[in-house]
Amino acid sequence: MSDGGRGVSRRGVLAGTVLGVTALSGMPAHALTAVGRGAPPKRRTAAPVLSRTAAGHTVLARPLANPDGSNPLIQIRDVNRYGQVLGMIDAGESAMPRWPTAIWSNGHVTVLPSPVAEASDCGATRLNDRGQAAGYYTVEGRTHATVWTGGVPRVLDIGTVYSRATALNNLGQVAVFGYDVPSGETATWSTVCLVGGSTVTTVTPPPSRSGMTFTARAVNDRGEVLMLGSLPQSSWHSAFLWRDGAVVADFTDVGGTWSLQGVGGLNARGDVAGDYYSPDARAFRWSGGALTSFTGPGGGTASVSDLSIWRALNDAGDVLGYSNSSAGHHAFVWSGGRATDLGTLGGTRSDPVGINNSRQVAGGSQLADGSYRAFLWRAGEMIAITPPPGYATTAASAITEQGEVLGSAATADGSRSAYFRWTVR
């Protein structure tokens, strides 16, 4: 979604992008009864609902489901620049798999089929701007990397027993993580390959980092792969940027030996964001070979690699994170050499989830009464996302390039929840 932050860059490609979106939105929606054998749950018509915030903004809540309320998403995993949402549905207790992956596009939900009927699990975690999805399916405990194009699955074989796709760009290149033995004394080290069509290229770490387990966090349209690894039986992390068969930059010792905490994203132009301890949490942006480190607002700590942040870096090089200081736990944006505190909705805490290329931010914040709301931050204003009728709270998962907030609403007792796309006017 980093990007994705976690996932792919949000830079579009040419003709294939438009064709991919058109083809996907025109696909028929799959009903729950077509996926599982049990009776579908009681449906609520997926009609948009208007509400108004205390500050006078109008919020349009659109359910992430089919128009008749069928196949509602129960999780958000990624979103592309055209607003297509990758998530999963509940197909019913008798279904196999129980929670298949699906794509919501223009008000319709398309379920991504498993390559084989006997799969116990099937899930995509990345979505590109052409509507392709990448992930895995599982049979008898063995995972297999898979990419879906136009809803049709293709298994990606890199020669390992276990594999899964972890990153995807807009050219259809897929980063695949694989290994042969999962655990124990005979466990094998991981392999990461970049698969583009019939070409499979191994992404090799720096010689000094051999013996570590690496996975790809992101791959952009330049074919650059951001890798993150860990040293077995330790809390030490390593990361490097790879391009055209070579390591471009190693971030492991960015603030001193084994100081890296994590990486938050790779953007379209090859910038990398991350954070490290030296001795407190600081963040950095690497751009064009130059590394700039920074603190949070007022000299507070700066963290940008937390997995709760779906997208911590946009294509303009703006970095999103959170800071702990005397003011509390606050979301911030670092841009143009300055860290801006996004504030809160009245409480002491705000948490970011994503930033788009217009420097708009989605997240969650505490209110003065201690409850929480999703928010949209734009042009210096933090706007609370009002719960739709029948719900008491809202939570954000991602933000679109159009400035819409994706997330969930829940009842006060947590007995019922639903996912929405919120448009704030």
Side-chain angles (χ1 to χ4, degrees):
M1 211 173 234
S2 199
D3 72 212
R6 288 170 292 173
V8 300
S9 71
R10 298 296 183 256
R11 183 164 61 99
V13 292
L14 300 178
T17 299
V18 178
L19 291 174
V21 173
T22 303
L24 183 62
S25 63
M27 292 180 181
H30 293 247
L32 278 172
T33 50
V35 181
R37 296 188 180 90
K42 184 178 180 180
R43 297 174 182 171
R44 293 173 177 266
T45 303
V49 178
L50 278 172
S51 60
R52 189 172 293 277
T53 70
H57 294 282
T58 299
V59 179
L60 177 66
R62 186 172 188 181
L64 298 182
N66 283 321
D68 64 356
S70 65
N71 283 7
L73 296 192
I74 61 170
Q75 188 185 80
I76 294 174
R77 291 178 171 170
D78 204 3
V79 58
N80 65 19
R81 76 175 285 172
Y82 296 103
Q84 295 175 314
V85 183
L86 180 69
M88 66 181 186
I89 67 167
D90 184 351
E93 293 181 0
S94 61
M96 186 68 76
R98 169 71 187 272
W99 296 284
T101 300
I103 296 176
W104 182 89
S105 177
N106 296 327
H108 292 274
V109 177
T110 301
V111 179
L112 300 183
S114 170
V116 297
E118 63 271 23
S120 60
D121 187 18
C122 184
T125 57
R126 294 290 179 264
L127 181 69
N128 70 9
D129 291 343
R130 296 167 59 186
Q132 291 178 299
Y136 66 94
Y137 79 92
T138 305
V139 170
E140 297 181 349
R142 179 179 171 184
T143 59
H144 304 262
T146 307
V147 62
W148 287 262
T149 302
V152 178
R154 173 195 169 200
V155 180
L156 304 176
D157 184 6
I158 62 170
T160 57
V161 175
Y162 302 86
S163 65
R164 66 173 61 204
T166 64
L168 170 71
N169 69 11
N170 293 318
L171 304 179
Q173 294 177 305
V174 186
V176 177
F177 165 78
Y179 54 94
D180 293 324
V181 181
S183 62
E185 294 181 358
T186 58
T188 52
W189 301 118
S190 62
T191 298
V192 175
C193 295
L194 186 62
V195 181
S198 60
T199 302
V200 179
T201 306
T202 300
V203 179
T204 305
S208 60
R209 311 303 178 194
S210 61
M212 299 186 68
T213 297
F214 283 96
T215 58
R217 282 292 307 273
V219 54
N220 64 15
D221 294 350
R222 292 155 48 119
E224 297 170 317
V225 183
L226 179 61
M227 301 283 286
L228 177 66
S230 60
L231 192 66
Q233 300 179 342
S234 78
S235 59
W236 294 346
H237 297 91
S238 178
F240 65 91
L241 184 64
W242 179 94
R243 182 180 65 225
D244 296 331
V247 174
V248 178
D250 185 346
F251 305 107
T252 309
D253 301 326
V254 62
T257 304
W258 294 108
S259 58
L260 181 74
Q261 173 65 15
V263 286
L266 168 71
N267 68 11
R269 67 187 190 189
D271 298 344
V272 174
D275 47 34
Y276 63 97
Y277 286 120
S278 183
D280 296 322
R282 295 177 62 92
F284 69 86
R285 189 193 69 183
W286 183 88
S287 180
L291 188 142
T292 304
S293 65
F294 53 91
T295 63
T301 63
S303 299
V304 304
S305 70
D306 194 293
L307 292 179
S308 64
I309 305 176
W310 164 74
R311 190 186 186 196
L313 177 68
N314 67 14
D315 289 340
D318 303 315
V319 183
L320 176 67
Y322 63 80
S323 177
N324 287 302
S325 67
S326 58
H329 179 104
H330 287 193
F332 75 91
V333 172
W334 183 85
S335 179
R338 177 187 175 189
T340 299
D341 190 335
L342 304 192
T344 73
L345 292 171
T348 60
R349 184 182 182 101
S350 60
D351 293 278
V353 298
I355 184 170
N356 65 16
N357 288 334
S358 298
R359 204 176 295 152
Q360 298 168 324
V361 174
S365 175
Q366 186 182 45
L367 276 63
D369 63 5
S371 61
Y372 283 83
R373 293 286 187 276
F375 71 77
L376 170 67
W377 184 90
R378 65 186 182 194
E381 180 186 11
M382 181 176 285
I383 304 167
I385 303 297
T386 308
Y391 296 94
T393 63
T394 55
S397 299
I399 186 170
T400 70
E401 280 303 311
Q402 295 73 34
E404 297 154 332
V405 178
L406 302 171
S408 61
T411 56
D413 61 3
S415 62
R416 183 167 58 88
S417 63
Y419 278 83
F420 295 87
R421 184 190 72 183
W422 287 295
T423 304
V424 181
R425 299 189 178 97

